[in-house]
Amino acid sequence: MELILDVVIDALIDSLKILPFLFITYLIMEYLEHKTAEFTSGVVEKTEHFGPLWGGLIGAFPQCGFSAAASNLYAGRVITLGTLIAIYLSTSDEMIPLFISEQVPIKTMIQVLAIKALIGILAGFVIDFVVHAYHKAHNKSINDPVRISSLCEKEHCHCDDDESEGLFGIVKSAFVHTFHIFVFVLILTLVLNLVIELIGEDKVALLLKTSPVISHILAGLVGLIPNCAASVIITELYLDQMITLGTMMSGLLVGAGIGLLVLFRVNDNKKENINIALLLFFIGTVIGLLIDLIGITI
């Protein structure tokens, strides 16, 4: 009973952390949908070229809600795939609080954040370049149509009915979206926390201390867990000098907080979602392995 209570409390805390990010994101998206259709198209034009840069920089801030916000923006086609991946790769969530609690030098923290942000930015630009080249080669439209309204239809929030209500309608629609996603995240977080508690963090840690290549793959798989606990385990192992910098980076680069969880909820194209998760895993683990092969240390 005590275990279940702890799991419920932890799940509530983790889920409540993302509420402000979700609500603010939906407010912005609802405003774009209700008031500025032309401006929304302009946003797509701008992020097509500079999105990965801003995504990589903003994603580096120590929070796990921005990746959830990015998933919603991508599902609405307000940002590009490259921008989404840049944000996922640079997201830091619980790493910085742990570094601070362990009195890790500020220089080290900045270096780790800089590496994650740089990798995210470079990967984002490369991905957008490849996507644009592919579309051009196949005579397809480079820009996906902005489809924020499709999110409204999926959530059955009747946003169009609220247009005449002005600001109140925008706030109401944003609240409905936020509530639906919050409930979804809370339920799955409860399940994930329970599984982690039953298996034991020590067993997960043991898996990461096997052979070098396997440790990177396992770290990436742990990073795919849509829960802040993944970054906690990986960061603690690095601080205890049980894994290398590259192995830690494999897990932290792949780890996008609950971003992937939200993506699978709000983006209808499940095949695309799976491909995004696989792309994130591939980039994170390969870069982490390269860091160790080159011998980078901080």
Side-chain angles (χ1 to χ4, degrees):
M1 189 65 187
E2 184 178 350
L3 173 63
I4 295 176
L5 182 61
D6 289 339
V7 168
V8 171
I9 292 175
D10 289 341
L12 279 172
I13 293 174
D14 288 343
S15 300
L16 286 171
K17 284 179 181 178
I18 70 169
L19 273 179
F21 296 97
L22 286 177
F23 186 63
I24 291 172
T25 300
Y26 278 124
L27 276 178
I28 294 173
M29 294 177 69
E30 289 299 327
Y31 181 79
L32 293 175
E33 174 65 16
H34 287 78
K35 301 293 183 180
T36 56
E38 292 184 3
F39 175 74
T40 304
S41 297
V43 169
V44 176
E45 294 283 346
K46 293 177 182 178
T47 56
E48 180 183 3
H49 301 291
F50 303 107
L53 173 62
W54 294 112
L57 293 175
I58 296 174
F61 284 91
Q63 40 72 31
C64 55
F66 190 59
S67 62
S71 297
N72 284 287
L73 292 173
Y74 178 74
R77 292 305 185 265
V78 178
I79 62 174
T80 64
L81 175 60
T83 301
L84 178 70
I85 293 295
I87 292 170
Y88 281 175
L89 290 171
S90 64
T91 294
S92 301
D93 51 63
E94 304 298 327
M95 180 190 70
I96 293 300
L98 280 174
F99 274 3
I100 294 175
S101 66
E102 295 291 335
Q103 299 181 353
V104 173
I106 295 178
K107 180 181 178 181
T108 300
M109 288 189 282
I110 293 176
Q111 287 176 327
V112 173
L113 287 174
I115 291 174
K116 283 172 61 64
L118 179 61
I119 292 171
I121 292 168
L122 292 177
F125 278 124
V126 170
I127 290 170
D128 277 351
F129 175 80
V130 172
V131 170
H132 293 175
Y134 175 82
H135 285 174
K136 186 175 182 180
H138 292 79
N139 295 319
K140 294 183 178 181
S141 174
I142 294 179
N143 288 330
D144 286 327
V146 176
R147 55 189 190 191
I148 295 174
S149 59
S150 65
L151 294 181
C152 298
E153 295 173 3
K154 180 179 178 63
E155 299 299 328
H156 307 292
C157 66
H158 306 291
C159 299
D160 293 339
D161 299 339
D162 298 326
E163 287 192 33
S164 60
E165 299 181 32
L167 181 61
F168 175 76
I170 293 174
V171 173
K172 185 173 76 172
S173 296
F175 176 79
V176 172
H177 280 306
T178 303
F179 177 75
H180 287 176
I181 295 299
F182 172 76
V183 172
F184 179 75
V185 170
L186 177 61
I187 293 173
L188 287 191
T189 302
L190 279 169
V191 174
L192 288 169
N193 282 354
L194 183 60
V195 170
I196 290 174
E197 286 291 337
L198 292 175
I199 294 177
E201 292 187 10
D202 55 336
K203 291 184 178 179
V204 176
L206 184 62
L207 288 174
L208 292 173
K209 292 187 294 181
T210 56
S211 69
V213 175
I214 293 178
S215 67
H216 284 278
I217 294 175
L218 291 175
L221 291 174
V222 172
L224 282 176
I225 298 174
N227 189 287
C228 291
S231 63
V232 171
I233 296 172
I234 293 169
T235 305
E236 286 182 342
L237 288 173
Y238 175 73
L239 293 175
D240 292 337
Q241 299 182 341
M242 297 171 69
I243 60 174
T244 63
L245 172 66
T247 303
M248 180 185 74
M249 294 303 294
S250 289
L252 294 181
L253 285 170
V254 175
I258 48 88
L260 285 175
L261 189 67
V262 175
L263 182 69
F264 274 86
R265 176 66 179 87
V266 299
N267 193 38
D268 288 329
N269 192 333
K270 302 308 177 186
K271 181 179 179 181
E272 180 185 41
N273 296 338
I274 293 173
N275 288 336
I276 289 174
L278 292 175
L279 178 62
L280 182 65
F281 176 80
F282 176 79
I283 294 173
T285 53
V286 169
I287 294 297
L289 184 58
L290 286 176
I291 288 174
D292 278 348
L293 290 176
I294 295 172
I296 297 176
T297 58
I298 55 176

